Coordinates of all heavy atoms in Angstrom, one line a residue:
L1 N 11.0 -1.0 -16.5 CA 9.7 -1.5 -17.0 C 9.1 -2.3 -15.8 O 9.8 -3.1 -15.0 CB 9.8 -2.2 -18.2 CG 8.4 -2.8 -18.7 CD1 7.6 -1.5 -19.2 CD2 8.7 -3.6 -19.9
A2 N 7.8 -2.0 -15.4 CA 7.2 -2.9 -14.4 C 5.7 -3.0 -14.6 O 5.2 -2.1 -15.4 CB 7.3 -2.2 -12.9
E3 N 5.1 -4.1 -14.3 CA 3.7 -4.2 -14.4 C 3.2 -4.4 -13.0 O 3.5 -5.0 -12.1 CB 3.5 -5.7 -15.0 CG 3.9 -5.7 -16.5 CD 3.6 -7.0 -17.2 OE1 3.1 -8.0 -16.5 OE2 4.1 -7.2 -18.3
V4 N 2.2 -3.4 -12.7 CA 1.6 -3.2 -11.4 C 0.3 -3.2 -11.3 O -0.4 -2.5 -12.4 CB 2.3 -1.9 -10.8 CG1 1.7 -1.6 -9.3 CG2 3.8 -2.0 -10.8
S5 N -0.5 -3.7 -10.4 CA -1.9 -3.7 -10.3 C -2.0 -2.8 -9.0 O -1.3 -2.9 -8.0 CB -2.7 -4.9 -10.1 OG -2.4 -5.5 -8.9
I6 N -3.0 -1.8 -9.1 CA -3.3 -1.1 -7.8 C -4.8 -1.2 -7.5 O -5.6 -1.0 -8.5 CB -3.1 0.6 -8.0 CG1 -1.5 0.6 -8.3 CG2 -3.5 1.3 -6.9 CD1 -1.3 2.1 -8.8
T7 N -5.1 -1.7 -6.4 CA -6.4 -2.1 -5.9 C -6.7 -1.3 -4.7 O -6.1 -1.3 -3.7 CB -6.5 -3.6 -5.7 OG1 -6.1 -4.3 -6.8 CG2 -7.9 -4.0 -5.3
F8 N -7.9 -0.7 -4.8 CA -8.4 0.1 -3.6 C -9.6 -0.9 -2.9 O -10.3 -1.4 -3.4 CB -9.1 1.4 -4.1 CG -8.2 2.4 -4.7 CD1 -8.2 2.4 -6.1 CD2 -7.4 3.1 -4.0 CE1 -7.2 3.3 -6.7 CE2 -6.5 3.9 -4.6 CZ -6.4 4.1 -5.9
V9 N -9.1 -0.9 -1.6 CA -10.0 -2.0 -0.7 C -10.6 -1.2 0.5 O -10.0 -0.1 0.9 CB -9.1 -3.1 -0.3 CG1 -8.6 -3.9 -1.5 CG2 -8.0 -2.7 0.5
T10 N -11.6 -1.8 1.1 CA -12.2 -1.2 2.2 C -11.3 -1.4 3.5 O -10.3 -2.0 3.4 CB -13.6 -1.9 2.5 OG1 -13.2 -3.3 2.9 CG2 -14.4 -1.8 1.3
R11 N -11.6 -0.6 4.5 CA -11.0 -0.8 5.7 C -10.9 -2.2 6.2 O -9.8 -2.7 6.6 CB -11.6 0.1 6.8 CG -11.1 -0.2 8.1 CD -12.0 0.6 9.1 NE -11.8 2.1 9.1 CZ -10.8 2.8 9.6 NH1 -9.9 2.2 10.2 NH2 -10.8 4.1 9.3
D12 N -12.1 -2.9 6.2 CA -12.1 -4.3 6.6 C -11.3 -5.2 5.8 O -10.6 -6.1 6.3 CB -13.4 -4.7 6.7 CG -14.3 -4.1 7.9 OD1 -13.8 -3.5 8.6 OD2 -15.6 -4.1 7.7
A13 N -11.2 -5.1 4.5 CA -10.5 -5.8 3.6 C -9.0 -5.6 3.8 O -8.2 -6.6 3.8 CB -10.8 -5.6 2.1
M14 N -8.6 -4.4 4.0 CA -7.3 -4.1 4.4 C -6.8 -4.8 5.7 O -5.7 -5.3 5.8 CB -7.0 -2.7 4.4 CG -5.6 -2.2 4.6 SD -4.4 -2.9 3.3 CE -4.5 -1.5 2.2
A15 N -7.7 -4.7 6.7 CA -7.3 -5.2 8.0 C -7.2 -6.8 7.7 O -6.3 -7.4 8.3 CB -8.4 -5.2 9.0
A16 N -7.9 -7.4 6.9 CA -7.8 -8.9 6.7 C -6.6 -9.2 6.0 O -5.8 -10.2 6.3 CB -9.0 -9.4 5.8
L17 N -6.2 -8.4 4.9 CA -4.9 -8.6 4.2 C -3.7 -8.4 5.1 O -2.8 -9.2 5.2 CB -4.7 -7.5 3.0 CG -5.6 -7.7 1.8 CD1 -5.5 -6.5 0.9 CD2 -5.0 -9.0 1.1
N18 N -3.8 -7.4 6.0 CA -2.8 -7.1 7.0 C -2.5 -8.2 7.9 O -1.4 -8.6 8.2 CB -3.1 -5.7 7.8 CG -1.9 -5.0 8.3 OD1 -0.8 -5.3 7.9 ND2 -2.1 -4.2 9.1
W19 N -3.5 -8.8 8.4 CA -3.4 -10.0 9.4 C -3.0 -11.2 8.5 O -2.1 -11.9 8.9 CB -4.7 -10.3 10.0 CG -4.6 -11.5 10.9 CD1 -5.2 -12.7 10.7 CD2 -3.9 -11.5 12.1 NE1 -4.9 -13.5 11.7 CE2 -4.1 -12.9 12.6 CE3 -3.1 -10.6 12.9 CZ2 -3.4 -13.3 13.8 CZ3 -2.5 -11.1 13.9 CH2 -2.7 -12.4 14.5
R20 N -3.6 -11.5 7.4 CA -3.4 -12.8 6.8 C -1.9 -12.7 6.3 O -1.2 -13.8 6.3 CB -4.2 -12.9 5.4 CG -4.0 -14.2 4.8 CD -5.0 -14.3 3.5 NE -6.3 -13.9 3.8 CZ -6.9 -13.0 3.1 NH1 -6.3 -12.4 2.2 NH2 -8.2 -12.7 3.4
H21 N -1.3 -11.6 5.8 CA 0.1 -11.6 5.1 C 1.2 -11.1 6.0 O 2.3 -11.5 6.0 CB 0.1 -10.9 3.8 CG -0.9 -11.6 2.8 ND1 -0.5 -12.5 2.1 CD2 -2.1 -11.1 2.5 CE1 -1.4 -12.9 1.3 NE2 -2.5 -12.1 1.4
L22 N 0.8 -10.3 7.1 CA 1.8 -9.6 7.9 C 1.7 -9.9 9.4 O 2.5 -9.5 10.2 CB 1.9 -8.1 7.6 CG 2.1 -7.7 6.3 CD1 2.1 -6.1 6.0 CD2 3.5 -8.1 5.8
Q23 N 0.6 -10.6 9.7 CA 0.2 -10.8 11.1 C 0.1 -9.5 12.0 O 0.5 -9.6 13.2 CB 1.2 -11.9 11.8 CG 0.9 -13.3 11.4 CD 1.2 -13.5 9.8 OE1 2.5 -13.2 9.4 NE2 0.5 -13.9 9.0
H24 N -0.3 -8.5 11.4 CA -0.5 -7.2 12.0 C -2.0 -7.0 12.2 O -2.7 -7.2 11.2 CB 0.0 -6.0 11.3 CG 1.5 -6.0 11.2 ND1 2.2 -5.4 10.2 CD2 2.4 -6.8 11.8 CE1 3.5 -5.6 10.3 NE2 3.7 -6.5 11.2
R25 N -2.4 -6.7 13.4 CA -4.0 -6.3 13.7 C -4.3 -5.0 13.2 O -3.6 -4.1 13.2 CB -4.2 -6.4 15.0 CG -4.0 -7.8 15.6 CD -4.7 -7.9 17.1 NE -4.4 -9.3 17.6 CZ -4.9 -10.3 17.2 NH1 -6.0 -10.2 16.5 NH2 -4.7 -11.4 17.9
G26 N -5.5 -4.9 12.5 CA -6.1 -3.7 12.1 C -5.7 -3.2 10.7 O -4.9 -3.9 10.1
P27 N -6.3 -2.1 10.2 CA -6.1 -1.7 8.8 C -4.7 -1.0 8.8 O -4.4 -0.4 9.8 CB -7.3 -1.0 8.5 CG -7.7 -0.5 9.6 CD -7.4 -1.4 10.7
T28 N -4.3 -0.9 7.6 CA -3.1 0.1 7.3 C -3.6 0.7 6.1 O -4.6 0.4 5.4 CB -1.8 -0.6 7.2 OG1 -0.8 0.4 7.0 CG2 -1.7 -1.6 5.9
Y29 N -2.9 1.8 5.6 CA -3.3 2.5 4.4 C -2.7 1.9 3.1 O -3.2 2.1 2.0 CB -3.0 3.9 4.5 CG -1.6 4.4 5.0 CD1 -0.5 4.4 4.3 CD2 -1.6 4.6 6.4 CE1 0.8 4.8 4.9 CE2 -0.4 5.1 7.0 CZ 0.8 5.1 6.3 OH 2.0 5.4 6.8
I30 N -1.6 1.1 3.3 CA -1.0 0.4 1.9 C -0.2 -0.8 2.3 O 0.3 -0.9 3.3 CB -0.1 1.5 1.3 CG1 0.3 0.9 -0.1 CG2 1.0 1.8 2.1 CD1 1.1 1.8 -1.0
I31 N -0.4 -1.7 1.4 CA 0.4 -3.0 1.4 C 0.8 -3.4 0.0 O -0.1 -3.1 -0.9 CB -0.4 -4.3 1.9 CG1 -0.8 -4.1 3.5 CG2 0.4 -5.7 1.8 CD1 -1.6 -5.2 4.1
T32 N 2.1 -3.7 -0.1 CA 2.6 -3.9 -1.4 C 3.2 -5.3 -1.5 O 3.9 -5.7 -0.5 CB 3.7 -3.0 -1.9 OG1 3.1 -1.6 -1.8 CG2 4.2 -3.2 -3.1
F33 N 2.9 -6.0 -2.5 CA 3.4 -7.3 -2.7 C 4.3 -7.3 -4.0 O 3.7 -7.1 -5.1 CB 2.4 -8.3 -2.8 CG 1.5 -8.5 -1.6 CD1 0.3 -8.1 -1.7 CD2 2.0 -9.2 -0.5 CE1 -0.5 -8.1 -0.4 CE2 1.2 -9.3 0.6 CZ -0.1 -8.8 0.6
E34 N 5.6 -7.5 -3.9 CA 6.5 -7.7 -4.9 C 6.4 -9.0 -5.6 O 6.3 -10.0 -4.8 CB 7.9 -7.5 -4.5 CG 8.7 -6.4 -5.0 CD 10.2 -6.3 -4.6 OE1 10.3 -6.0 -3.4 OE2 11.0 -6.7 -5.2
L35 N 6.2 -9.2 -6.9 CA 6.1 -10.5 -7.5 C 7.4 -10.8 -8.1 O 8.1 -10.0 -8.7 CB 5.0 -10.4 -8.6 CG 3.6 -10.0 -7.9 CD1 2.7 -10.0 -9.2 CD2 3.1 -11.1 -7.0
P36 N 7.8 -12.1 -7.9 CA 9.1 -12.5 -8.4 C 9.0 -12.5 -10.1 O 7.9 -12.7 -10.7 CB 9.3 -14.0 -8.0 CG 7.8 -14.4 -7.5 CD 7.0 -13.2 -7.2
A37 N 10.2 -12.0 -10.5 CA 10.2 -11.8 -12.0 C 11.3 -12.8 -12.6 O 12.4 -13.0 -11.9 CB 10.5 -10.5 -12.3
A38 N 11.1 -13.4 -13.7 CA 12.1 -14.2 -14.4 C 13.2 -13.2 -14.9 O 12.9 -12.1 -15.2 CB 11.6 -14.9 -15.4
P39 N 14.5 -13.6 -15.1 CA 15.4 -12.8 -15.6 C 15.0 -12.2 -17.0 O 14.5 -12.9 -17.8 CB 16.8 -13.8 -15.9 CG 16.4 -14.8 -14.8 CD 14.9 -15.1 -14.7
G40 N 15.2 -10.9 -17.0 CA 14.8 -10.1 -18.3 C 13.4 -9.8 -18.3 O 13.0 -9.0 -19.3
A41 N 12.5 -10.2 -17.4 CA 11.0 -10.1 -17.4 C 10.9 -8.7 -16.7 O 11.7 -8.4 -15.7 CB 10.3 -11.2 -16.8
P42 N 9.7 -8.0 -16.9 CA 9.5 -6.8 -16.1 C 9.2 -7.1 -14.7 O 8.8 -8.2 -14.4 CB 8.3 -6.2 -16.8 CG 7.7 -7.2 -17.7 CD 8.8 -8.2 -17.9
L43 N 9.5 -6.2 -13.8 CA 9.2 -6.3 -12.4 C 7.7 -6.3 -12.3 O 7.1 -5.8 -13.2 CB 9.7 -5.1 -11.6 CG 11.3 -5.0 -11.6 CD1 11.7 -3.7 -11.0 CD2 11.9 -6.1 -10.8
G44 N 7.1 -6.8 -11.2 CA 5.8 -6.7 -11.1 C 5.3 -6.7 -9.6 O 6.2 -7.1 -8.7
G45 N 4.2 -6.2 -9.3 CA 3.7 -6.2 -7.9 C 2.2 -5.8 -7.8 O 1.6 -5.4 -8.9
D46 N 1.7 -6.1 -6.7 CA 0.3 -5.7 -6.3 C 0.2 -4.8 -5.1 O 0.9 -4.9 -4.2 CB -0.5 -6.9 -6.0 CG -0.7 -8.0 -7.1 OD1 -0.8 -7.5 -8.2 OD2 -0.5 -9.1 -6.9
V47 N -0.5 -3.6 -5.5 CA -0.4 -2.6 -4.5 C -1.9 -2.5 -4.0 O -2.7 -2.2 -4.9 CB 0.1 -1.2 -5.0 CG1 0.0 0.0 -3.9 CG2 1.5 -1.2 -5.5
Y48 N -2.1 -2.6 -2.7 CA -3.5 -2.4 -2.2 C -3.4 -1.2 -1.2 O -2.6 -1.0 -0.3 CB -3.7 -3.7 -1.2 CG -3.9 -4.9 -2.1 CD1 -2.8 -5.7 -2.4 CD2 -5.2 -5.2 -2.6 CE1 -2.9 -6.8 -3.1 CE2 -5.2 -6.4 -3.3 CZ -4.1 -7.1 -3.7 OH -4.3 -8.3 -4.4
I49 N -4.5 -0.3 -1.4 CA -4.6 1.0 -0.7 C -6.0 1.1 -0.1 O -6.9 0.7 -1.0 CB -4.4 2.1 -1.6 CG1 -2.9 2.1 -2.3 CG2 -4.6 3.4 -1.0 CD1 -2.5 3.2 -3.3
S50 N -6.1 1.4 1.0 CA -7.4 1.8 1.7 C -7.7 3.2 1.7 O -7.0 4.0 2.4 CB -7.5 1.2 3.1 OG -8.7 1.7 3.7
P51 N -8.5 3.7 0.7 CA -8.9 5.0 0.7 C -9.4 5.6 2.0 O -9.1 6.8 2.5 CB -9.8 5.3 -0.4 CG -9.6 4.1 -1.2 CD -9.2 3.0 -0.3
E52 N -10.1 4.8 2.7 CA -10.7 5.3 4.2 C -9.6 5.5 5.0 O -9.6 6.6 5.7 CB -11.6 4.2 4.7 CG -12.8 3.8 3.9 CD -13.5 2.5 4.4 OE1 -14.1 2.7 5.4 OE2 -13.3 1.4 3.7
V53 N -8.7 4.7 5.1 CA -7.6 4.8 6.1 C -6.6 5.9 5.6 O -6.1 6.8 6.4 CB -6.7 3.4 6.3 CG1 -5.6 3.7 7.2 CG2 -7.6 2.5 6.7
A54 N -6.4 6.0 4.3 CA -5.6 7.1 3.7 C -6.3 8.4 4.1 O -5.5 9.5 4.2 CB -5.5 6.9 2.2
R55 N -7.5 8.6 3.9 CA -8.1 9.8 4.2 C -7.9 10.2 5.5 O -7.6 11.5 5.9 CB -9.7 9.8 4.1 CG -10.2 10.3 2.7 CD -11.6 10.3 2.5 NE -12.5 9.2 2.9 CZ -12.7 8.2 2.0 NH1 -12.2 8.3 0.8 NH2 -13.4 7.1 2.4
E56 N -8.0 9.3 6.6 CA -7.7 9.6 8.0 C -6.2 10.1 8.1 O -5.9 10.9 8.9 CB -7.9 8.5 8.8 CG -9.4 8.1 9.0 CD -9.6 6.7 9.5 OE1 -8.6 6.0 10.1 OE2 -10.8 6.2 9.6
H57 N -5.4 9.3 7.5 CA -4.0 9.8 7.6 C -3.7 11.1 7.0 O -2.9 11.9 7.5 CB -3.1 8.7 6.9 CG -1.6 8.8 7.3 ND1 -0.8 9.2 6.2 CD2 -1.0 8.6 8.3 CE1 0.5 9.3 6.8 NE2 0.3 9.0 8.0
A58 N -4.2 11.3 5.9 CA -4.2 12.7 5.2 C -4.6 13.9 6.2 O -4.0 14.8 6.4 CB -4.9 12.8 4.0
R59 N -5.7 13.6 6.9 CA -6.2 14.6 7.9 C -5.2 14.8 9.1 O -4.9 16.0 9.3 CB -7.6 14.2 8.4 CG -8.3 15.3 9.3 CD -9.7 14.8 9.7 NE -10.0 13.4 9.8 CZ -10.8 12.6 9.0 NH1 -11.1 13.3 7.9 NH2 -10.9 11.3 9.1
E60 N -4.6 13.7 9.4 CA -3.6 13.9 10.5 C -2.3 14.5 10.0 O -1.7 15.2 10.8 CB -3.2 12.3 11.0 CG -4.1 11.7 11.8 CD -3.9 10.1 11.8 OE1 -2.8 9.7 11.5 OE2 -4.8 9.4 12.3
Q61 N -2.0 14.5 8.6 CA -0.7 15.0 8.1 C -1.0 16.5 7.7 O -0.4 17.2 7.3 CB -0.2 14.1 7.0 CG 0.1 12.8 7.4 CD 1.3 12.8 8.5 OE1 2.2 13.6 8.3 NE2 1.2 12.1 9.6
G62 N -2.3 16.9 7.6 CA -2.7 18.1 7.2 C -2.6 18.4 5.6 O -2.3 19.4 5.1
I63 N -2.9 17.3 5.0 CA -2.7 17.3 3.4 C -4.2 16.9 2.9 O -4.9 16.3 3.7 CB -1.6 16.4 2.9 CG1 -1.7 14.9 3.2 CG2 -0.2 16.9 3.4 CD1 -0.8 14.1 2.6
T64 N -4.4 17.0 1.6 CA -5.6 16.5 1.1 C -5.6 15.1 0.8 O -4.4 14.5 0.6 CB -5.9 17.2 -0.3 OG1 -5.0 16.8 -1.3 CG2 -5.8 18.8 -0.2
P65 N -6.8 14.4 0.7 CA -6.7 13.0 0.4 C -6.1 12.7 -0.9 O -5.5 11.7 -1.1 CB -8.3 12.8 0.4 CG -8.8 13.7 1.4 CD -8.1 14.9 1.2
R66 N -6.4 13.7 -1.9 CA -5.8 13.3 -3.1 C -4.3 13.3 -3.1 O -3.7 12.5 -3.7 CB -6.3 14.6 -4.1 CG -5.8 14.3 -5.5 CD -6.3 15.6 -6.4 NE -5.9 15.4 -7.7 CZ -6.7 15.4 -8.8 NH1 -8.0 15.5 -8.6 NH2 -6.2 15.3 -9.9
E67 N -3.7 14.2 -2.3 CA -2.2 14.3 -2.2 C -1.7 13.0 -1.5 O -0.8 12.3 -1.9 CB -1.8 15.3 -1.3 CG -1.8 16.8 -2.0 CD -1.6 17.9 -1.0 OE1 -2.2 18.1 0.0 OE2 -0.6 18.6 -1.3
E68 N -2.4 12.4 -0.5 CA -2.2 11.2 0.1 C -2.3 10.0 -0.8 O -1.4 9.2 -0.7 CB -3.0 11.1 1.4 CG -2.8 9.8 2.2 CD -1.3 9.7 2.8 OE1 -0.6 10.6 2.7 OE2 -1.2 8.7 3.6
L69 N -3.2 10.0 -1.5 CA -3.4 8.8 -2.5 C -2.3 8.9 -3.4 O -1.8 7.9 -3.8 CB -4.8 8.8 -3.1 CG -6.0 8.4 -2.2 CD1 -7.2 8.7 -3.0 CD2 -5.7 7.0 -1.8
A70 N -2.0 10.0 -4.0 CA -0.7 10.1 -4.9 C 0.5 9.6 -4.3 O 1.3 8.9 -4.8 CB -0.7 11.5 -5.5
R71 N 0.8 10.1 -2.9 CA 1.8 9.7 -2.3 C 1.9 8.1 -2.1 O 3.0 7.5 -2.2 CB 1.9 10.4 -1.0 CG 3.2 10.1 -0.2 CD 3.1 10.7 1.2 NE 2.2 10.0 2.1 CZ 2.5 8.8 2.7 NH1 3.7 8.3 2.5 NH2 1.7 8.2 3.5
L72 N 0.8 7.6 -1.8 CA 0.7 6.2 -1.6 C 0.9 5.3 -2.9 O 1.5 4.3 -2.7 CB -0.6 5.8 -0.9 CG -0.8 6.1 0.5 CD1 -2.3 6.0 0.9 CD2 0.3 5.6 1.3
V73 N 0.5 5.8 -4.0 CA 0.7 5.1 -5.3 C 2.3 5.2 -5.5 O 2.9 4.2 -5.9 CB -0.1 5.9 -6.5 CG1 0.4 5.3 -7.8 CG2 -1.6 5.5 -6.3
V74 N 2.9 6.2 -5.4 CA 4.3 6.4 -5.5 C 5.1 5.4 -4.5 O 6.0 4.7 -4.9 CB 4.8 7.9 -5.4 CG1 6.4 8.0 -5.4 CG2 4.3 8.7 -6.5
H75 N 4.7 5.5 -3.3 CA 5.2 4.6 -2.2 C 5.1 3.2 -2.6 O 6.2 2.4 -2.6 CB 4.4 4.8 -1.0 CG 4.9 4.0 0.2 ND1 5.3 4.7 1.4 CD2 5.0 2.9 0.4 CE1 5.6 3.8 2.2 NE2 5.4 2.6 1.7
G76 N 3.8 2.7 -3.2 CA 3.7 1.3 -3.6 C 4.6 1.1 -4.9 O 5.2 0.0 -4.8
M77 N 4.8 1.9 -5.7 CA 5.6 1.7 -6.9 C 7.2 1.5 -6.5 O 7.8 0.7 -7.0 CB 5.5 2.9 -8.0 CG 4.1 3.0 -8.5 SD 3.7 1.5 -9.5 CE 4.9 1.6 -10.8
L78 N 7.5 2.3 -5.5 CA 8.9 2.3 -5.1 C 9.1 0.9 -4.5 O 10.2 0.2 -4.7 CB 9.3 3.3 -4.1 CG 9.4 4.8 -4.7 CD1 9.5 5.9 -3.6 CD2 10.6 4.9 -5.6
H79 N 8.2 0.4 -3.8 CA 8.4 -1.0 -3.1 C 8.4 -2.1 -4.3 O 9.3 -2.9 -4.2 CB 7.3 -1.3 -2.2 CG 7.4 -0.7 -0.9 ND1 8.5 -1.0 -0.1 CD2 6.7 0.1 -0.2 CE1 8.4 -0.3 1.1 NE2 7.4 0.3 1.1
V80 N 7.7 -1.9 -5.3 CA 7.6 -2.9 -6.4 C 9.1 -2.8 -7.1 O 9.5 -3.9 -7.5 CB 6.5 -2.6 -7.5 CG1 6.6 -3.3 -8.7 CG2 5.1 -2.9 -6.8
L81 N 9.6 -1.6 -7.2 CA 10.9 -1.4 -7.8 C 12.1 -2.0 -6.8 O 13.2 -1.9 -7.3 CB 11.2 0.0 -8.4 CG 10.2 0.5 -9.4 CD1 10.3 1.9 -9.6 CD2 10.4 -0.3 -10.5
G82 N 11.7 -2.3 -5.6 CA 12.7 -3.0 -4.7 C 13.2 -2.1 -3.6 O 13.9 -2.5 -2.8
H83 N 12.7 -0.8 -3.5 CA 13.1 -0.1 -2.3 C 12.5 -0.6 -1.1 O 11.4 -1.0 -1.1 CB 12.6 1.4 -2.6 CG 13.4 2.0 -3.8 ND1 14.6 2.5 -3.7 CD2 13.0 2.2 -5.1 CE1 14.9 3.0 -4.8 NE2 14.1 2.7 -5.7
V84 N 13.2 -0.6 0.0 CA 12.7 -1.0 1.3 C 12.9 0.2 2.3 O 13.5 1.2 2.1 CB 13.5 -2.2 1.8 CG1 13.1 -3.4 1.0 CG2 14.9 -2.0 1.8
H85 N 12.0 0.1 3.4 CA 12.2 1.1 4.4 C 13.5 0.9 5.2 O 13.8 -0.2 5.4 CB 11.0 1.0 5.4 CG 9.7 1.3 4.9 ND1 9.2 2.6 4.7 CD2 8.7 0.5 4.3 CE1 8.1 2.5 4.2 NE2 7.8 1.4 3.9
P86 N 14.2 2.0 5.5 CA 15.4 1.9 6.3 C 15.1 1.3 7.6 O 14.0 1.6 8.1 CB 16.0 3.3 6.3 CG 14.9 4.2 5.9 CD 13.9 3.4 5.2
E87 N 15.9 0.6 8.2 CA 15.7 0.0 9.6 C 16.0 1.0 10.7 O 16.7 1.9 10.6 CB 16.7 -1.2 9.8 CG 16.4 -2.4 8.9 CD 14.9 -3.0 9.0 OE1 14.6 -3.1 10.1 OE2 14.4 -3.3 7.9

């Protein structure tokens, strides 16, 4: 069980989040924040997606923007559930 918010933000808002929280310059297509959960409480998190950046990435990958947005929602959910990128 997880409680998740998914927020779509502009390119500029994503760039600001990226800098404020990760000290990375420029926009990215997704940022996920896992929220600490008390023992026995549902997992939680906030997922921020920039549709503008996602559209560009979809074009580069040769997929539709709808497919890319679906992929990003799943990607964010996996992070909320505790999955991390391999090093």
Side-chain angles (χ1 to χ4, degrees):
L1 184 63
E3 295 179 4
V4 178
S5 72
I6 299 173
T7 305
F8 295 101
V9 298
T10 65
R11 168 189 292 282
D12 290 341
M14 182 61 87
L17 285 169
N18 204 17
W19 178 251
R20 185 177 318 121
H21 296 283
L22 302 172
Q23 285 72 54
H24 296 159
R25 293 193 185 280
T28 186
Y29 39 84
I30 186 170
I31 295 178
T32 303
F33 298 101
E34 239 181 287
L35 301 175
L43 297 172
D46 296 321
V47 178
Y48 294 87
I49 297 172
S50 172
E52 295 168 79
V53 179
R55 268 192 300 277
E56 293 168 8
H57 192 252
R59 189 171 30 255
E60 292 167 8
Q61 299 300 311
I63 61 175
T64 68
R66 183 181 181 123
E67 288 174 299
E68 178 67 355
L69 287 174
R71 188 188 70 79
L72 291 174
V73 168
V74 170
H75 183 120
M77 294 298 296
L78 288 171
H79 280 301
V80 169
L81 294 172
H83 294 275
V84 295
H85 293 270
E87 297 297 323

